[in-house]
Amino acid sequence: MELDISLLFARLSDDDWRTRKEAAYSASRSLGSAAVREMLVEGLLQGDDVGLRNACVEAFARGEVHTREVVFEALTGAMG
């Protein structure tokens, strides 16, 4: 089953914190996907939406130990 990145992004930026929390959990289980990591990095760069940024941080923080290296690479790549 393919993950719908645009739907996941919409749920990460939802007004309801419970929806964002559930979406962050879903994203954290899919950190092996480059598209999910890129979407989360893009969410971190959204200056106006604190809820979205927090949900993206939570998704990255919940990641399994084996995905930490690719997460680090995604974040450092976005910074420079």
Side-chain angles (χ1 to χ4, degrees):
M1 183 174 172
E2 192 170 319
L3 188 62
D4 185 340
I5 299 295
S6 61
L7 179 60
L8 183 57
F9 189 80
R11 290 188 174 163
L12 284 166
S13 61
D14 195 276
D15 289 337
D16 182 26
W17 68 269
R18 289 168 285 238
T19 301
R20 289 193 310 267
K21 193 143 195 82
E22 184 178 317
Y25 181 67
S26 293
S28 73
R29 294 185 315 218
S30 302
L31 288 174
S33 164
V36 170
R37 292 190 308 273
E38 290 171 13
M39 181 262 311
L40 290 172
V41 167
E42 185 63 35
L44 288 173
L45 299 175
Q46 301 297 316
D48 296 344
D49 193 339
V50 175
L52 172 60
R53 288 194 327 263
N54 288 345
C56 292
V57 168
E58 182 175 347
F60 277 134
R62 285 176 159 264
E64 300 289 325
V65 172
H66 69 277
T67 61
R68 299 279 165 95
E69 185 174 321
V70 292
V71 167
F72 181 73
E73 288 175 15
L75 293 173
T76 54
M79 292 187 313

